[in-house]
């Protein structure tokens, strides 16, 4: 047994954990530019994380083990998800044991515990955030699974590695089902990662915050882990989108040059996705929370139409 | 252009037509609705031109240009003038709420797929798979006419229904004979004018375009 698979997994997880803060920094930088402000630099999230890790943890008196356990769980599930998706290479040992449904379930576990932790302390904001987060989740998750099933119909497998290889081997095709699935996926990704039409990641305004309300009581290294996991979640959704729709460049063979190329392609794609995110965020205003059902309903509709058009048109 | 590619473009356009049909179901603003109608017309026009090119039926070019002129430019213009004159820019009132309408819409797509499946088995044309989409567009236009209260939106639903019929004609039989198509185009145009006059009269009589008001016309009670 060679060391190659372990090396690959390590590289993948590293690519996730190290690139995520940089990607978050890139999005922040672009946003500053688009608003005519001076940028704090690409490394701001990294500096933030370092600062938070150095600080003490302040725990509420009635915090139970759930509250203390959640940051590690959230961070762990994000890392594990990074081991499943083909970020740099298709040839992953973990990819064979877990498919894209597991990927969705990992996020569901993290969300479940975050909601519990939000309610654990007993502050009003935690409960409100938990309720909103679960409302969004209950609408976003079926749509997400539907979009993923649409993609997996095309390659006859729910394994992401399989999907990537099958898209890479076929030629570039105009597929209606894919167009619908991409639209649905973008809407869901905006909702799941808490970007602007759904949630504003840069504000602590009491009335509108969703994710921030949940983690309001965290501090020190706990907050650092959760923030880091949040950044990783943003990149994970980008990686999932890349793997499912634009997998060209992900290494299929076992050599260093292909991996280098894959990394280059990944950075280029992330740069473009960052521009896309900023365009969406500067172009749209945050939605009223009661409009979210329609927003996510549209996502579900598109995913369903994608699945139907696979049967009707392809 | 080879046949395979043309069929792919055709089915892609079909998907987009279906998407515009659903977007019209979800749209709450009158202006947005008219824009979507114009987009649907543009997609139809492109699709007709492509089918005409592949099948070498050159009269389809004429109906493509006709669609472009009529459904992308003229009818949306008339509707815009109408809603400006009648001062109805506000949100559209719906009988059934939007997500519910969407679900019914999906049901209609499944139904029309089920209905056209045997026809698709028999046909040998490259564009046969779009027949289900065309039928679904017709049914969604009908659904829009049923679920909207406002007379103008009902007319847009009617025009969308006609779009679906036109799409069915191009995808199922490579278009109707030119005489028929010219006749239908003229009919739609005249219908739009007559509807326009009707709207003014309805508006003058009831001071509203909500068709529920017409229940007052009943005798008795």
């Amino acid at each position: 047994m060679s060391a190659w698979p372990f090396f690959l997994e390590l590289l993948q997880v590293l690519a996730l954990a190290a690139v995520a803060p940089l990607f978050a920094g890139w999005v922040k930088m672009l946003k500053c530019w688009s608003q005519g402000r001076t940028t704090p630099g690409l490394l701001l999230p990294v500096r933030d994380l370092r600062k938070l890790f150095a600080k003490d943890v302040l725990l509420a008196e009635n915090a139970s083990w759930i509250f203390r356990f959640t940051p590690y769980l959230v961070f762990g599930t994000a890392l594990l998800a990074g081991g499943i998706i083909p970020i740099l290479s298709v040839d992953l040992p973990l990819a064979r044991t877990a498919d894209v449904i597991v990927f969705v379930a990992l996020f569901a576990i993290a969300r479940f515990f975050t909601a519990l932790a939000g309610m654990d302390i007993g502050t009003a904001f935690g409960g409100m955030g938990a309720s909103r987060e679960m409302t969004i989740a209950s609408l976003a998750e079926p749509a997400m699974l539907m979009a993923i099933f649409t993609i997996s119909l095309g390659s006859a497998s729910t394994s992401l590695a399989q999907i990537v290889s099958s898209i890479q081997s076929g030629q570039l095709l105009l597929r209606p089902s894919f167009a619908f699935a991409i639209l649905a996926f973008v809407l869901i990704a905006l909702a799941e990662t808490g970007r602007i039409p759904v949630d504003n990641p840069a504000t602590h305004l009491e009335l509108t915050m969703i994710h921030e309300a949940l983690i309001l009581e965290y501090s020190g290294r706990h907050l650092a882990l959760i923030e880091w996991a949040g950044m990783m979640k943003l990149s994970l959704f980008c990686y999932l989108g890349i793997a499912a729709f634009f997998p060209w460049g992900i290494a299929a063979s076992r050599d260093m040059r292909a991996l280098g190329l894959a990394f280059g392609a990944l950075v280029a794609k992330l740069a473009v996705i960052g521009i896309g995110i900023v365009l969406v965020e500067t172009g749209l205003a945050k939605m009223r929370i009661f409009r979210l059902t329609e927003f996510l309903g549209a996502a579900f509709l598109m995913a369903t139409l994608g699945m139907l058009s696979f049967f009707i048109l392809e | 252009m080879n046949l395979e590619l043309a069929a792919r473009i055709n089915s892609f356009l079909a998907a987009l037509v279906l998407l515009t049909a659903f977007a019209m179901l979800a749209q709450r603003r009158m202006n947005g609705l008219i824009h979507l109608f114009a987009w649907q017309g543009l997609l139809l026009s492109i699709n007709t031109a492509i089918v005409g090119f592949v099948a070498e039926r050159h009269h389809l070019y004429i109906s493509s240009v006709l669609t472009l002129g009529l459904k992308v430019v003229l009818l949306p213009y008339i509707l815009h003038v109408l809603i400006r004159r009648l001062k109805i820019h506000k949100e559209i009132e719906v009988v059934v709420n939007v997500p519910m309408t969407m679900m019914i819409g999906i049901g209609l797509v499944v139904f029309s797929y089920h209905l056209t499946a045997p026809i698709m088995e028999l046909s040998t044309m490259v564009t046969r798979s779009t027949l289900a989409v065309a039928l679904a567009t017709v049914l969604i236009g009908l659904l829009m006419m049923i679920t909207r209260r406002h007379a103008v939106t009902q007319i847009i639903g009617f025009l969308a229904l006609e779009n679906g019929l036109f799409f069915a004609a191009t995808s199922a039989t490579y278009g109707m004979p030119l005489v028929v198509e010219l006749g239908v185009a003229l009919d739609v145009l005249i219908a739009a004018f007559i509807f326009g006059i009707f709207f003014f009269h309805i508006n003058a009589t009831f001071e509203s375009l909500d068709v529920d008001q017409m229940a007052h016309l009943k005798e008795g009670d």
Side-chain angles (χ1 to χ4, degrees):
Chain A
M1 196 171 165
S2 69
W4 180 260
F6 294 100
F7 169 67
L8 254 186
E9 284 292 349
L10 196 70
L11 212 62
Q12 285 248 118
V13 171
L14 269 180
L16 175 69
V19 170
L22 294 180
F23 180 58
W26 167 243
V27 172
K28 273 204 179 100
M29 258 172 84
L30 283 173
K31 211 164 177 189
C32 287
W33 278 332
S34 73
Q35 295 170 345
R37 293 184 281 149
T38 47
T39 69
L42 198 62
L43 291 176
L44 177 74
V46 179
R47 288 201 298 270
D48 271 349
L49 286 182
R50 214 176 54 202
K51 181 187 76 187
L52 283 174
F53 269 119
K55 287 193 170 185
D56 279 342
V57 174
L58 262 173
L59 274 181
E61 275 170 22
N62 54 351
S64 73
W65 63 273
I66 290 177
F67 189 79
R68 273 169 282 135
F69 173 63
T70 297
Y72 302 101
L73 181 109
V74 170
F75 189 76
T77 50
L79 277 188
L80 187 57
I84 298 171
I85 320 182
I87 299 174
L88 292 173
S89 167
V90 178
D91 189 23
L92 291 172
L94 263 182
R96 260 178 239 121
T97 59
D99 60 5
V100 71
I101 299 171
V102 174
F103 181 83
V104 177
L106 281 176
F107 281 126
I109 293 173
R111 183 181 293 116
F112 176 68
F113 270 90
T114 322
L116 279 189
M119 292 190 291
D120 187 43
I121 296 293
T123 63
F125 282 134
M128 185 193 75
S131 137
R132 287 181 177 175
E133 178 90 1
M134 291 326 260
T135 310
I136 294 178
S138 67
L139 294 164
E141 236 159 64
M144 172 92 185
L145 280 175
M146 209 64 165
I148 280 166
F149 288 148
T150 307
I151 306 159
S152 31
L153 273 174
S155 49
S157 163
T158 51
S159 155
L160 267 169
Q162 197 75 34
I163 291 172
V164 169
S165 334
S166 91
I167 298 175
Q168 274 179 337
S169 61
Q171 69 269 48
L172 182 59
L173 294 175
L174 272 176
R175 302 182 71 161
S177 63
F178 263 52
F180 279 121
I182 289 179
L183 278 174
F185 181 79
V186 169
L187 294 185
I188 300 156
L190 285 176
E192 288 261 358
T193 54
R195 304 309 295 190
I196 250 182
V198 178
D199 185 10
N200 189 348
T203 180
H204 277 88
L205 185 69
E206 290 92 339
L207 291 175
T208 60
M209 59 187 179
I210 301 172
H211 186 67
E212 295 301 322
L214 274 175
I215 58 170
L216 208 57
E217 298 294 326
Y218 276 110
S219 56
R221 61 172 190 280
H222 288 163
L223 183 60
L225 283 176
I226 285 190
E227 293 267 324
W228 198 351
M231 292 172 201
M232 288 205 286
K233 195 175 178 188
L234 177 64
S235 334
L236 275 173
F237 268 88
C238 297
Y239 293 149
L240 182 62
I242 289 170
F245 302 108
F246 310 101
W248 295 277
I250 294 176
S253 60
R254 292 187 165 197
D255 67 79
M256 284 312 286
R257 238 192 51 193
L259 277 186
L261 266 177
F263 191 73
L266 185 74
V267 170
K269 284 175 199 167
L270 279 184
V272 174
I273 291 174
I275 295 172
I277 292 178
V278 170
L279 282 182
V280 169
E281 296 215 325
T282 41
L284 295 176
K286 196 186 156 310
M287 233 183 284
R288 268 170 59 213
I289 197 154
F290 300 111
R291 295 295 290 274
L292 276 182
T293 48
E294 257 171 55
F295 179 82
L296 291 168
F300 183 76
L301 174 88
M302 295 223 212
T304 316
L305 279 182
M307 190 178 263
L308 285 174
S309 65
F310 177 83
F311 290 114
I312 298 175
L313 296 169
E314 284 170 26
Chain B
M1 203 191 307
N2 62 349
L3 223 58
E4 176 71 13
L5 181 67
R8 285 205 170 277
I9 294 175
N10 181 255
S11 53
F12 196 74
L13 286 171
L16 289 179
V17 167
L18 194 59
L19 188 63
T20 48
F22 271 98
M24 278 159 90
L25 270 187
Q27 183 60 252
R28 284 163 190 273
R29 301 203 170 259
M30 205 71 89
N31 276 320
L33 203 59
I34 294 170
H35 285 151
L36 282 170
F37 173 71
W39 277 109
Q40 196 176 45
L42 184 65
L43 292 170
L44 276 183
S45 160
I46 295 169
N47 181 55
T48 313
I50 288 171
V51 171
F53 182 80
V54 175
E56 294 181 347
R57 306 285 170 93
H58 296 296
H59 76 268
L60 281 181
Y61 292 142
I62 299 174
S63 70
S64 164
V65 173
L66 210 62
T67 312
L68 191 71
L70 200 63
K71 287 177 186 157
V72 184
V73 184
L74 199 58
L75 282 179
Y77 175 74
I78 292 174
L79 289 168
H80 265 300
V81 170
L82 259 180
I83 61 166
R84 208 168 45 232
R85 290 260 180 85
L86 295 169
K87 297 191 180 62
I88 35 172
H89 304 282
K90 58 179 181 198
E91 293 207 341
I92 296 162
E93 288 166 25
V94 289
V95 179
V96 188
N97 68 357
V98 171
M100 191 63 210
T101 329
M102 296 290 207
M103 289 296 140
I104 300 174
I106 289 179
L108 288 177
V109 176
V110 175
F111 174 70
S112 49
Y113 172 59
H114 184 70
L115 208 62
T116 51
I119 304 171
M120 283 199 269
E121 298 279 315
L122 293 173
S123 173
T124 52
M125 287 167 55
V126 283
T127 53
R128 64 182 179 279
S129 57
T130 49
L131 192 59
V133 173
L135 185 61
T137 317
V138 171
L139 291 177
I140 289 170
L142 205 58
L143 179 67
M144 205 167 123
M145 287 176 73
I146 297 169
T147 55
R148 297 297 169 86
R149 266 203 198 130
H150 213 282
V152 180
T153 31
Q154 291 186 349
I155 296 314
I156 297 175
F158 171 76
L159 293 172
L161 188 152
E162 204 275 328
N163 273 352
L165 282 178
F166 183 78
F167 193 60
T170 33
S171 57
T173 61
Y174 290 147
M176 294 173 276
L178 189 58
V179 187
V180 180
E181 251 164 52
L182 282 175
V184 171
L186 198 66
D187 272 355
V188 170
L189 188 61
I190 298 296
F193 279 118
I194 294 175
F195 288 141
I197 296 165
F198 255 148
F199 289 157
F200 278 112
H201 281 285
I202 296 173
N203 204 29
T205 316
F206 298 103
E207 292 180 346
S208 157
L209 277 173
D210 192 331
V211 289
D212 277 2
Q213 301 277 332
M214 291 190 197
H216 297 312
L217 290 174
K218 272 194 296 190
E219 285 183 39
D221 57 44

